[in-house]
Amino acid sequence: QVQLVESGGGLVQAGGSLRLSCAASGRTNSRYSIGWFRQAPGKEREFVAAISWSGRNTAYAESVKGRFTISRDNAKNTVYLLMNSLKAEDTAVYYCAGSYSYYEIAWTGEDEYDYWGQGTQVTVSS
């Protein structure tokens, strides 16, 4: 079993930047992709970004493409989400999720993920 813990959330002004971290523990020697999802109040959870187990493949939602960058450091068992040019619409609870993947696929669907963190709040003020 893999445990995921998000951190780095907080309050930031529109146009600012924030970096989220997803730290994994437990069975971290397996190949797994990591996805970031977010859920705003009254909204359904939506896909944000994902990265394959090797880090070679990434995927982004159209709403964040060009602004957010996902990366991973497997030596530290950590995946990062750098968020630039933040907008008020980015306000949400951000979750990271893990999916066991032999192939280097950056999954974008929630159903592909096996483990989820508890989330970290990101609030963008305008």
PDB file of all heavy atoms in Angstrom, residues 17-56:
ATOM      1  N   SER A  17       2.419  32.493  -7.646  1.00  0.00           N
ATOM      2  CA  SER A  17       2.814  31.108  -7.855  1.00  0.00           C
ATOM      3  C   SER A  17       2.779  30.330  -6.552  1.00  0.00           C
ATOM      4  O   SER A  17       2.887  30.895  -5.458  1.00  0.00           O
ATOM      5  CB  SER A  17       4.225  31.034  -8.447  1.00  0.00           C
ATOM      6  OG  SER A  17       4.300  31.681  -9.696  1.00  0.00           O
ATOM      7  N   LEU A  18       2.643  29.036  -6.691  1.00  0.00           N
ATOM      8  CA  LEU A  18       2.617  28.138  -5.551  1.00  0.00           C
ATOM      9  C   LEU A  18       3.106  26.781  -6.019  1.00  0.00           C
ATOM     10  O   LEU A  18       2.804  26.372  -7.139  1.00  0.00           O
ATOM     11  CB  LEU A  18       1.204  28.035  -4.995  1.00  0.00           C
ATOM     12  CG  LEU A  18       1.007  27.654  -3.521  1.00  0.00           C
ATOM     13  CD1 LEU A  18       1.656  28.692  -2.618  1.00  0.00           C
ATOM     14  CD2 LEU A  18      -0.479  27.556  -3.211  1.00  0.00           C
ATOM     15  N   ARG A  19       3.845  26.085  -5.176  1.00  0.00           N
ATOM     16  CA  ARG A  19       4.306  24.750  -5.517  1.00  0.00           C
ATOM     17  C   ARG A  19       3.761  23.742  -4.524  1.00  0.00           C
ATOM     18  O   ARG A  19       4.002  23.846  -3.315  1.00  0.00           O
ATOM     19  CB  ARG A  19       5.836  24.664  -5.539  1.00  0.00           C
ATOM     20  CG  ARG A  19       6.340  23.332  -6.104  1.00  0.00           C
ATOM     21  CD  ARG A  19       7.849  23.207  -6.076  1.00  0.00           C
ATOM     22  NE  ARG A  19       8.354  22.991  -4.728  1.00  0.00           N
ATOM     23  CZ  ARG A  19       9.583  22.555  -4.451  1.00  0.00           C
ATOM     24  NH1 ARG A  19      10.428  22.294  -5.438  1.00  0.00           N
ATOM     25  NH2 ARG A  19       9.964  22.410  -3.197  1.00  0.00           N
ATOM     26  N   LEU A  20       3.044  22.769  -5.036  1.00  0.00           N
ATOM     27  CA  LEU A  20       2.504  21.702  -4.219  1.00  0.00           C
ATOM     28  C   LEU A  20       3.423  20.488  -4.276  1.00  0.00           C
ATOM     29  O   LEU A  20       4.087  20.248  -5.280  1.00  0.00           O
ATOM     30  CB  LEU A  20       1.111  21.305  -4.698  1.00  0.00           C
ATOM     31  CG  LEU A  20       0.059  22.409  -4.786  1.00  0.00           C
ATOM     32  CD1 LEU A  20      -1.278  21.813  -5.215  1.00  0.00           C
ATOM     33  CD2 LEU A  20      -0.073  23.141  -3.461  1.00  0.00           C
ATOM     34  N   SER A  21       3.439  19.734  -3.198  1.00  0.00           N
ATOM     35  CA  SER A  21       4.231  18.518  -3.137  1.00  0.00           C
ATOM     36  C   SER A  21       3.338  17.341  -2.789  1.00  0.00           C
ATOM     37  O   SER A  21       2.377  17.477  -2.030  1.00  0.00           O
ATOM     38  CB  SER A  21       5.339  18.640  -2.089  1.00  0.00           C
ATOM     39  OG  SER A  21       6.246  19.667  -2.414  1.00  0.00           O
ATOM     40  N   CYS A  22       3.660  16.197  -3.346  1.00  0.00           N
ATOM     41  CA  CYS A  22       2.969  14.952  -3.044  1.00  0.00           C
ATOM     42  C   CYS A  22       4.026  13.947  -2.632  1.00  0.00           C
ATOM     43  O   CYS A  22       4.784  13.447  -3.472  1.00  0.00           O
ATOM     44  CB  CYS A  22       2.189  14.460  -4.260  1.00  0.00           C
ATOM     45  SG  CYS A  22       1.376  12.860  -4.039  1.00  0.00           S
ATOM     46  N   ALA A  23       4.092  13.671  -1.348  1.00  0.00           N
ATOM     47  CA  ALA A  23       5.091  12.752  -0.815  1.00  0.00           C
ATOM     48  C   ALA A  23       4.493  11.364  -0.653  1.00  0.00           C
ATOM     49  O   ALA A  23       3.420  11.208  -0.080  1.00  0.00           O
ATOM     50  CB  ALA A  23       5.614  13.262   0.522  1.00  0.00           C
ATOM     51  N   ALA A  24       5.195  10.370  -1.154  1.00  0.00           N
ATOM     52  CA  ALA A  24       4.730   8.991  -1.094  1.00  0.00           C
ATOM     53  C   ALA A  24       5.540   8.187  -0.085  1.00  0.00           C
ATOM     54  O   ALA A  24       6.750   8.372   0.053  1.00  0.00           O
ATOM     55  CB  ALA A  24       4.819   8.332  -2.466  1.00  0.00           C
ATOM     56  N   SER A  25       4.865   7.296   0.599  1.00  0.00           N
ATOM     57  CA  SER A  25       5.523   6.391   1.531  1.00  0.00           C
ATOM     58  C   SER A  25       4.877   5.017   1.417  1.00  0.00           C
ATOM     59  O   SER A  25       3.810   4.864   0.837  1.00  0.00           O
ATOM     60  CB  SER A  25       5.426   6.907   2.963  1.00  0.00           C
ATOM     61  OG  SER A  25       4.076   7.001   3.378  1.00  0.00           O
ATOM     62  N   GLY A  26       5.535   4.008   1.966  1.00  0.00           N
ATOM     63  CA  GLY A  26       5.029   2.658   1.857  1.00  0.00           C
ATOM     64  C   GLY A  26       5.716   1.926   0.728  1.00  0.00           C
ATOM     65  O   GLY A  26       6.939   1.970   0.610  1.00  0.00           O
ATOM     66  N   ARG A  27       4.935   1.278  -0.129  1.00  0.00           N
ATOM     67  CA  ARG A  27       5.480   0.516  -1.238  1.00  0.00           C
ATOM     68  C   ARG A  27       5.813   1.446  -2.400  1.00  0.00           C
ATOM     69  O   ARG A  27       5.115   1.500  -3.419  1.00  0.00           O
ATOM     70  CB  ARG A  27       4.502  -0.576  -1.679  1.00  0.00           C
ATOM     71  CG  ARG A  27       5.083  -1.524  -2.718  1.00  0.00           C
ATOM     72  CD  ARG A  27       4.115  -2.655  -3.040  1.00  0.00           C
ATOM     73  NE  ARG A  27       4.008  -3.596  -1.938  1.00  0.00           N
ATOM     74  CZ  ARG A  27       3.254  -4.685  -1.962  1.00  0.00           C
ATOM     75  NH1 ARG A  27       2.525  -4.957  -3.041  1.00  0.00           N
ATOM     76  NH2 ARG A  27       3.213  -5.481  -0.909  1.00  0.00           N
ATOM     77  N   THR A  28       6.904   2.181  -2.238  1.00  0.00           N
ATOM     78  CA  THR A  28       7.287   3.174  -3.235  1.00  0.00           C
ATOM     79  C   THR A  28       8.269   2.643  -4.270  1.00  0.00           C
ATOM     80  O   THR A  28       8.708   3.395  -5.146  1.00  0.00           O
ATOM     81  CB  THR A  28       7.902   4.405  -2.549  1.00  0.00           C
ATOM     82  OG1 THR A  28       9.023   3.998  -1.762  1.00  0.00           O
ATOM     83  CG2 THR A  28       6.877   5.081  -1.653  1.00  0.00           C
ATOM     84  N   ASN A  29       8.615   1.354  -4.184  1.00  0.00           N
ATOM     85  CA  ASN A  29       9.542   0.770  -5.142  1.00  0.00           C
ATOM     86  C   ASN A  29       8.849   0.290  -6.406  1.00  0.00           C
ATOM     87  O   ASN A  29       9.499  -0.188  -7.333  1.00  0.00           O
ATOM     88  CB  ASN A  29      10.321  -0.377  -4.510  1.00  0.00           C
ATOM     89  CG  ASN A  29       9.423  -1.488  -4.017  1.00  0.00           C
ATOM     90  OD1 ASN A  29       8.240  -1.291  -3.778  1.00  0.00           O
ATOM     91  ND2 ASN A  29      10.001  -2.671  -3.855  1.00  0.00           N
ATOM     92  N   SER A  30       7.541   0.398  -6.451  1.00  0.00           N
ATOM     93  CA  SER A  30       6.780  -0.007  -7.620  1.00  0.00           C
ATOM     94  C   SER A  30       6.659   1.154  -8.606  1.00  0.00           C
ATOM     95  O   SER A  30       6.881   2.307  -8.259  1.00  0.00           O
ATOM     96  CB  SER A  30       5.395  -0.503  -7.220  1.00  0.00           C
ATOM     97  OG  SER A  30       4.670   0.512  -6.544  1.00  0.00           O
ATOM     98  N   ARG A  31       6.296   0.812  -9.832  1.00  0.00           N
ATOM     99  CA  ARG A  31       6.103   1.824 -10.850  1.00  0.00           C
ATOM    100  C   ARG A  31       4.687   2.368 -10.769  1.00  0.00           C
ATOM    101  O   ARG A  31       3.731   1.620 -10.899  1.00  0.00           O
ATOM    102  CB  ARG A  31       6.366   1.235 -12.231  1.00  0.00           C
ATOM    103  CG  ARG A  31       7.798   0.749 -12.435  1.00  0.00           C
ATOM    104  CD  ARG A  31       7.942   0.022 -13.747  1.00  0.00           C
ATOM    105  NE  ARG A  31       9.326  -0.377 -13.987  1.00  0.00           N
ATOM    106  CZ  ARG A  31       9.719  -1.111 -15.013  1.00  0.00           C
ATOM    107  NH1 ARG A  31       8.826  -1.532 -15.906  1.00  0.00           N
ATOM    108  NH2 ARG A  31      10.997  -1.425 -15.148  1.00  0.00           N
ATOM    109  N   TYR A  32       4.573   3.655 -10.543  1.00  0.00           N
ATOM    110  CA  TYR A  32       3.257   4.252 -10.451  1.00  0.00           C
ATOM    111  C   TYR A  32       3.266   5.663 -11.015  1.00  0.00           C
ATOM    112  O   TYR A  32       4.224   6.410 -10.840  1.00  0.00           O
ATOM    113  CB  TYR A  32       2.754   4.266  -8.997  1.00  0.00           C
ATOM    114  CG  TYR A  32       3.633   5.030  -8.030  1.00  0.00           C
ATOM    115  CD1 TYR A  32       3.365   6.360  -7.717  1.00  0.00           C
ATOM    116  CD2 TYR A  32       4.719   4.415  -7.424  1.00  0.00           C
ATOM    117  CE1 TYR A  32       4.170   7.057  -6.833  1.00  0.00           C
ATOM    118  CE2 TYR A  32       5.532   5.105  -6.539  1.00  0.00           C
ATOM    119  CZ  TYR A  32       5.248   6.420  -6.244  1.00  0.00           C
ATOM    120  OH  TYR A  32       6.049   7.113  -5.364  1.00  0.00           O
ATOM    121  N   SER A  33       2.199   6.007 -11.676  1.00  0.00           N
ATOM    122  CA  SER A  33       2.020   7.362 -12.149  1.00  0.00           C
ATOM    123  C   SER A  33       1.329   8.170 -11.054  1.00  0.00           C
ATOM    124  O   SER A  33       0.687   7.610 -10.161  1.00  0.00           O
ATOM    125  CB  SER A  33       1.198   7.389 -13.438  1.00  0.00           C
ATOM    126  OG  SER A  33      -0.096   6.848 -13.221  1.00  0.00           O
ATOM    127  N   ILE A  34       1.471   9.472 -11.119  1.00  0.00           N
ATOM    128  CA  ILE A  34       0.850  10.365 -10.148  1.00  0.00           C
ATOM    129  C   ILE A  34       0.008  11.403 -10.886  1.00  0.00           C
ATOM    130  O   ILE A  34       0.462  12.002 -11.861  1.00  0.00           O
ATOM    131  CB  ILE A  34       1.896  11.075  -9.276  1.00  0.00           C
ATOM    132  CG1 ILE A  34       2.559  10.079  -8.313  1.00  0.00           C
ATOM    133  CG2 ILE A  34       1.263  12.220  -8.495  1.00  0.00           C
ATOM    134  CD1 ILE A  34       1.635   9.586  -7.208  1.00  0.00           C
ATOM    135  N   GLY A  35      -1.189  11.587 -10.406  1.00  0.00           N
ATOM    136  CA  GLY A  35      -2.057  12.599 -10.966  1.00  0.00           C
ATOM    137  C   GLY A  35      -2.455  13.615  -9.916  1.00  0.00           C
ATOM    138  O   GLY A  35      -2.514  13.304  -8.727  1.00  0.00           O
ATOM    139  N   TRP A  36      -2.694  14.823 -10.363  1.00  0.00           N
ATOM    140  CA  TRP A  36      -3.227  15.874  -9.505  1.00  0.00           C
ATOM    141  C   TRP A  36      -4.654  16.176  -9.936  1.00  0.00           C
ATOM    142  O   TRP A  36      -4.930  16.347 -11.129  1.00  0.00           O
ATOM    143  CB  TRP A  36      -2.393  17.151  -9.598  1.00  0.00           C
ATOM    144  CG  TRP A  36      -1.103  17.109  -8.839  1.00  0.00           C
ATOM    145  CD1 TRP A  36       0.134  16.824  -9.325  1.00  0.00           C
ATOM    146  CD2 TRP A  36      -0.926  17.372  -7.438  1.00  0.00           C
ATOM    147  NE1 TRP A  36       1.076  16.896  -8.327  1.00  0.00           N
ATOM    148  CE2 TRP A  36       0.451  17.231  -7.156  1.00  0.00           C
ATOM    149  CE3 TRP A  36      -1.794  17.721  -6.402  1.00  0.00           C
ATOM    150  CZ2 TRP A  36       0.974  17.422  -5.878  1.00  0.00           C
ATOM    151  CZ3 TRP A  36      -1.274  17.904  -5.130  1.00  0.00           C
ATOM    152  CH2 TRP A  36       0.097  17.751  -4.887  1.00  0.00           C
ATOM    153  N   PHE A  37      -5.536  16.227  -8.967  1.00  0.00           N
ATOM    154  CA  PHE A  37      -6.929  16.563  -9.189  1.00  0.00           C
ATOM    155  C   PHE A  37      -7.311  17.670  -8.220  1.00  0.00           C
ATOM    156  O   PHE A  37      -6.646  17.879  -7.208  1.00  0.00           O
ATOM    157  CB  PHE A  37      -7.825  15.337  -8.978  1.00  0.00           C
ATOM    158  CG  PHE A  37      -7.572  14.221  -9.953  1.00  0.00           C
ATOM    159  CD1 PHE A  37      -6.518  13.343  -9.762  1.00  0.00           C
ATOM    160  CD2 PHE A  37      -8.382  14.052 -11.062  1.00  0.00           C
ATOM    161  CE1 PHE A  37      -6.274  12.314 -10.660  1.00  0.00           C
ATOM    162  CE2 PHE A  37      -8.154  13.028 -11.967  1.00  0.00           C
ATOM    163  CZ  PHE A  37      -7.097  12.159 -11.763  1.00  0.00           C
ATOM    164  N   ARG A  38      -8.377  18.370  -8.526  1.00  0.00           N
ATOM    165  CA  ARG A  38      -8.829  19.423  -7.627  1.00  0.00           C
ATOM    166  C   ARG A  38     -10.344  19.444  -7.564  1.00  0.00           C
ATOM    167  O   ARG A  38     -11.027  19.020  -8.494  1.00  0.00           O
ATOM    168  CB  ARG A  38      -8.296  20.789  -8.064  1.00  0.00           C
ATOM    169  CG  ARG A  38      -8.853  21.284  -9.396  1.00  0.00           C
ATOM    170  CD  ARG A  38      -8.142  22.560  -9.818  1.00  0.00           C
ATOM    171  NE  ARG A  38      -8.676  23.094 -11.058  1.00  0.00           N
ATOM    172  CZ  ARG A  38      -8.167  24.138 -11.703  1.00  0.00           C
ATOM    173  NH1 ARG A  38      -7.096  24.766 -11.205  1.00  0.00           N
ATOM    174  NH2 ARG A  38      -8.720  24.557 -12.836  1.00  0.00           N
ATOM    175  N   GLN A  39     -10.837  19.956  -6.457  1.00  0.00           N
ATOM    176  CA  GLN A  39     -12.270  20.059  -6.269  1.00  0.00           C
ATOM    177  C   GLN A  39     -12.595  21.396  -5.614  1.00  0.00           C
ATOM    178  O   GLN A  39     -12.175  21.663  -4.491  1.00  0.00           O
ATOM    179  CB  GLN A  39     -12.802  18.912  -5.410  1.00  0.00           C
ATOM    180  CG  GLN A  39     -14.306  18.884  -5.287  1.00  0.00           C
ATOM    181  CD  GLN A  39     -14.807  17.603  -4.641  1.00  0.00           C
ATOM    182  OE1 GLN A  39     -14.083  16.945  -3.911  1.00  0.00           O
ATOM    183  NE2 GLN A  39     -16.045  17.254  -4.932  1.00  0.00           N
ATOM    184  N   ALA A  40     -13.329  22.217  -6.335  1.00  0.00           N
ATOM    185  CA  ALA A  40     -13.778  23.503  -5.824  1.00  0.00           C
ATOM    186  C   ALA A  40     -15.111  23.321  -5.110  1.00  0.00           C
ATOM    187  O   ALA A  40     -15.831  22.347  -5.364  1.00  0.00           O
ATOM    188  CB  ALA A  40     -13.918  24.501  -6.965  1.00  0.00           C
ATOM    189  N   PRO A  41     -15.470  24.233  -4.211  1.00  0.00           N
ATOM    190  CA  PRO A  41     -16.742  24.119  -3.493  1.00  0.00           C
ATOM    191  C   PRO A  41     -17.927  24.010  -4.442  1.00  0.00           C
ATOM    192  O   PRO A  41     -18.068  24.811  -5.364  1.00  0.00           O
ATOM    193  CB  PRO A  41     -16.802  25.415  -2.682  1.00  0.00           C
ATOM    194  CG  PRO A  41     -15.374  25.782  -2.466  1.00  0.00           C
ATOM    195  CD  PRO A  41     -14.691  25.396  -3.754  1.00  0.00           C
ATOM    196  N   GLY A  42     -18.758  23.012  -4.226  1.00  0.00           N
ATOM    197  CA  GLY A  42     -19.931  22.824  -5.052  1.00  0.00           C
ATOM    198  C   GLY A  42     -19.658  22.252  -6.428  1.00  0.00           C
ATOM    199  O   GLY A  42     -20.580  22.138  -7.239  1.00  0.00           O
ATOM    200  N   LYS A  43     -18.421  21.891  -6.704  1.00  0.00           N
ATOM    201  CA  LYS A  43     -18.049  21.358  -8.008  1.00  0.00           C
ATOM    202  C   LYS A  43     -17.555  19.927  -7.891  1.00  0.00           C
ATOM    203  O   LYS A  43     -17.180  19.459  -6.816  1.00  0.00           O
ATOM    204  CB  LYS A  43     -16.963  22.220  -8.652  1.00  0.00           C
ATOM    205  CG  LYS A  43     -17.326  23.688  -8.813  1.00  0.00           C
ATOM    206  CD  LYS A  43     -18.463  23.872  -9.792  1.00  0.00           C
ATOM    207  CE  LYS A  43     -18.758  25.342 -10.004  1.00  0.00           C
ATOM    208  NZ  LYS A  43     -19.869  25.549 -10.963  1.00  0.00           N
ATOM    209  N   GLU A  44     -17.563  19.243  -9.011  1.00  0.00           N
ATOM    210  CA  GLU A  44     -17.027  17.890  -9.056  1.00  0.00           C
ATOM    211  C   GLU A  44     -15.514  17.935  -9.135  1.00  0.00           C
ATOM    212  O   GLU A  44     -14.923  18.915  -9.597  1.00  0.00           O
ATOM    213  CB  GLU A  44     -17.592  17.137 -10.261  1.00  0.00           C
ATOM    214  CG  GLU A  44     -19.093  16.897 -10.208  1.00  0.00           C
ATOM    215  CD  GLU A  44     -19.488  15.969  -9.085  1.00  0.00           C
ATOM    216  OE1 GLU A  44     -18.735  15.007  -8.808  1.00  0.00           O
ATOM    217  OE2 GLU A  44     -20.535  16.188  -8.478  1.00  0.00           O
ATOM    218  N   ARG A  45     -14.895  16.869  -8.677  1.00  0.00           N
ATOM    219  CA  ARG A  45     -13.453  16.778  -8.773  1.00  0.00           C
ATOM    220  C   ARG A  45     -13.045  16.712 -10.240  1.00  0.00           C
ATOM    221  O   ARG A  45     -13.682  16.022 -11.040  1.00  0.00           O
ATOM    222  CB  ARG A  45     -12.971  15.537  -8.030  1.00  0.00           C
ATOM    223  CG  ARG A  45     -11.460  15.388  -7.964  1.00  0.00           C
ATOM    224  CD  ARG A  45     -11.095  14.083  -7.269  1.00  0.00           C
ATOM    225  NE  ARG A  45     -11.506  14.081  -5.878  1.00  0.00           N
ATOM    226  CZ  ARG A  45     -11.607  12.973  -5.139  1.00  0.00           C
ATOM    227  NH1 ARG A  45     -11.355  11.796  -5.657  1.00  0.00           N
ATOM    228  NH2 ARG A  45     -11.981  13.073  -3.867  1.00  0.00           N
ATOM    229  N   GLU A  46     -11.991  17.433 -10.598  1.00  0.00           N
ATOM    230  CA  GLU A  46     -11.547  17.468 -11.975  1.00  0.00           C
ATOM    231  C   GLU A  46     -10.053  17.221 -12.088  1.00  0.00           C
ATOM    232  O   GLU A  46      -9.284  17.507 -11.170  1.00  0.00           O
ATOM    233  CB  GLU A  46     -11.897  18.810 -12.635  1.00  0.00           C
ATOM    234  CG  GLU A  46     -11.171  20.005 -12.029  1.00  0.00           C
ATOM    235  CD  GLU A  46     -11.459  21.299 -12.765  1.00  0.00           C
ATOM    236  OE1 GLU A  46     -12.086  21.249 -13.845  1.00  0.00           O
ATOM    237  OE2 GLU A  46     -11.055  22.370 -12.265  1.00  0.00           O
ATOM    238  N   PHE A  47      -9.668  16.709 -13.220  1.00  0.00           N
ATOM    239  CA  PHE A  47      -8.277  16.422 -13.502  1.00  0.00           C
ATOM    240  C   PHE A  47      -7.483  17.705 -13.692  1.00  0.00           C
ATOM    241  O   PHE A  47      -7.975  18.659 -14.285  1.00  0.00           O
ATOM    242  CB  PHE A  47      -8.173  15.554 -14.760  1.00  0.00           C
ATOM    243  CG  PHE A  47      -6.783  15.429 -15.300  1.00  0.00           C
ATOM    244  CD1 PHE A  47      -5.856  14.604 -14.686  1.00  0.00           C
ATOM    245  CD2 PHE A  47      -6.400  16.133 -16.425  1.00  0.00           C
ATOM    246  CE1 PHE A  47      -4.568  14.486 -15.178  1.00  0.00           C
ATOM    247  CE2 PHE A  47      -5.120  16.023 -16.933  1.00  0.00           C
ATOM    248  CZ  PHE A  47      -4.201  15.194 -16.301  1.00  0.00           C
ATOM    249  N   VAL A  48      -6.251  17.716 -13.199  1.00  0.00           N
ATOM    250  CA  VAL A  48      -5.377  18.875 -13.340  1.00  0.00           C
ATOM    251  C   VAL A  48      -4.131  18.529 -14.149  1.00  0.00           C
ATOM    252  O   VAL A  48      -3.850  19.144 -15.172  1.00  0.00           O
ATOM    253  CB  VAL A  48      -4.958  19.439 -11.974  1.00  0.00           C
ATOM    254  CG1 VAL A  48      -3.994  20.606 -12.152  1.00  0.00           C
ATOM    255  CG2 VAL A  48      -6.183  19.873 -11.180  1.00  0.00           C
ATOM    256  N   ALA A  49      -3.380  17.548 -13.683  1.00  0.00           N
ATOM    257  CA  ALA A  49      -2.140  17.169 -14.348  1.00  0.00           C
ATOM    258  C   ALA A  49      -1.745  15.765 -13.915  1.00  0.00           C
ATOM    259  O   ALA A  49      -2.172  15.282 -12.874  1.00  0.00           O
ATOM    260  CB  ALA A  49      -1.018  18.162 -14.021  1.00  0.00           C
ATOM    261  N   ALA A  50      -0.918  15.111 -14.714  1.00  0.00           N
ATOM    262  CA  ALA A  50      -0.455  13.775 -14.384  1.00  0.00           C
ATOM    263  C   ALA A  50       0.934  13.550 -14.952  1.00  0.00           C
ATOM    264  O   ALA A  50       1.340  14.210 -15.914  1.00  0.00           O
ATOM    265  CB  ALA A  50      -1.420  12.711 -14.924  1.00  0.00           C
ATOM    266  N   ILE A  51       1.642  12.603 -14.364  1.00  0.00           N
ATOM    267  CA  ILE A  51       2.985  12.274 -14.810  1.00  0.00           C
ATOM    268  C   ILE A  51       3.194  10.770 -14.701  1.00  0.00           C
ATOM    269  O   ILE A  51       2.755  10.138 -13.743  1.00  0.00           O
ATOM    270  CB  ILE A  51       4.045  13.055 -13.989  1.00  0.00           C
ATOM    271  CG1 ILE A  51       5.444  12.869 -14.576  1.00  0.00           C
ATOM    272  CG2 ILE A  51       3.998  12.644 -12.519  1.00  0.00           C
ATOM    273  CD1 ILE A  51       6.456  13.857 -13.999  1.00  0.00           C
ATOM    274  N   SER A  52       3.834  10.185 -15.704  1.00  0.00           N
ATOM    275  CA  SER A  52       4.078   8.756 -15.714  1.00  0.00           C
ATOM    276  C   SER A  52       5.155   8.384 -14.700  1.00  0.00           C
ATOM    277  O   SER A  52       5.834   9.247 -14.148  1.00  0.00           O
ATOM    278  CB  SER A  52       4.491   8.302 -17.117  1.00  0.00           C
ATOM    279  OG  SER A  52       5.720   8.905 -17.505  1.00  0.00           O
ATOM    280  N   TRP A  53       5.316   7.082 -14.461  1.00  0.00           N
ATOM    281  CA  TRP A  53       6.238   6.642 -13.412  1.00  0.00           C
ATOM    282  C   TRP A  53       7.673   7.063 -13.666  1.00  0.00           C
ATOM    283  O   TRP A  53       8.431   7.316 -12.729  1.00  0.00           O
ATOM    284  CB  TRP A  53       6.155   5.124 -13.214  1.00  0.00           C
ATOM    285  CG  TRP A  53       6.665   4.298 -14.370  1.00  0.00           C
ATOM    286  CD1 TRP A  53       5.928   3.769 -15.384  1.00  0.00           C
ATOM    287  CD2 TRP A  53       8.017   3.901 -14.604  1.00  0.00           C
ATOM    288  NE1 TRP A  53       6.731   3.069 -16.248  1.00  0.00           N
ATOM    289  CE2 TRP A  53       8.026   3.129 -15.789  1.00  0.00           C
ATOM    290  CE3 TRP A  53       9.226   4.108 -13.945  1.00  0.00           C
ATOM    291  CZ2 TRP A  53       9.193   2.583 -16.324  1.00  0.00           C
ATOM    292  CZ3 TRP A  53      10.391   3.559 -14.469  1.00  0.00           C
ATOM    293  CH2 TRP A  53      10.360   2.807 -15.640  1.00  0.00           C
ATOM    294  N   SER A  54       8.081   7.123 -14.928  1.00  0.00           N
ATOM    295  CA  SER A  54       9.440   7.526 -15.265  1.00  0.00           C
ATOM    296  C   SER A  54       9.593   9.040 -15.337  1.00  0.00           C
ATOM    297  O   SER A  54      10.716   9.553 -15.322  1.00  0.00           O
ATOM    298  CB  SER A  54       9.856   6.920 -16.601  1.00  0.00           C
ATOM    299  OG  SER A  54       9.150   7.517 -17.672  1.00  0.00           O
ATOM    300  N   GLY A  55       8.475   9.742 -15.425  1.00  0.00           N
ATOM    301  CA  GLY A  55       8.506  11.181 -15.575  1.00  0.00           C
ATOM    302  C   GLY A  55       8.604  11.651 -17.010  1.00  0.00           C
ATOM    303  O   GLY A  55       8.606  12.859 -17.268  1.00  0.00           O
ATOM    304  N   ARG A  56       8.691  10.713 -17.963  1.00  0.00           N
ATOM    305  CA  ARG A  56       8.850  11.100 -19.359  1.00  0.00           C
ATOM    306  C   ARG A  56       7.568  11.595 -20.008  1.00  0.00           C
ATOM    307  O   ARG A  56       7.624  12.375 -20.963  1.00  0.00           O
ATOM    308  CB  ARG A  56       9.418   9.929 -20.172  1.00  0.00           C
ATOM    309  CG  ARG A  56      10.825   9.525 -19.764  1.00  0.00           C
ATOM    310  CD  ARG A  56      11.564   8.867 -20.915  1.00  0.00           C
ATOM    311  NE  ARG A  56      10.953   7.629 -21.360  1.00  0.00           N
ATOM    312  CZ  ARG A  56      11.301   6.420 -20.943  1.00  0.00           C
ATOM    313  NH1 ARG A  56      12.272   6.285 -20.057  1.00  0.00           N
ATOM    314  NH2 ARG A  56      10.683   5.347 -21.419  1.00  0.00           N
TER     315      ARG A  56
END
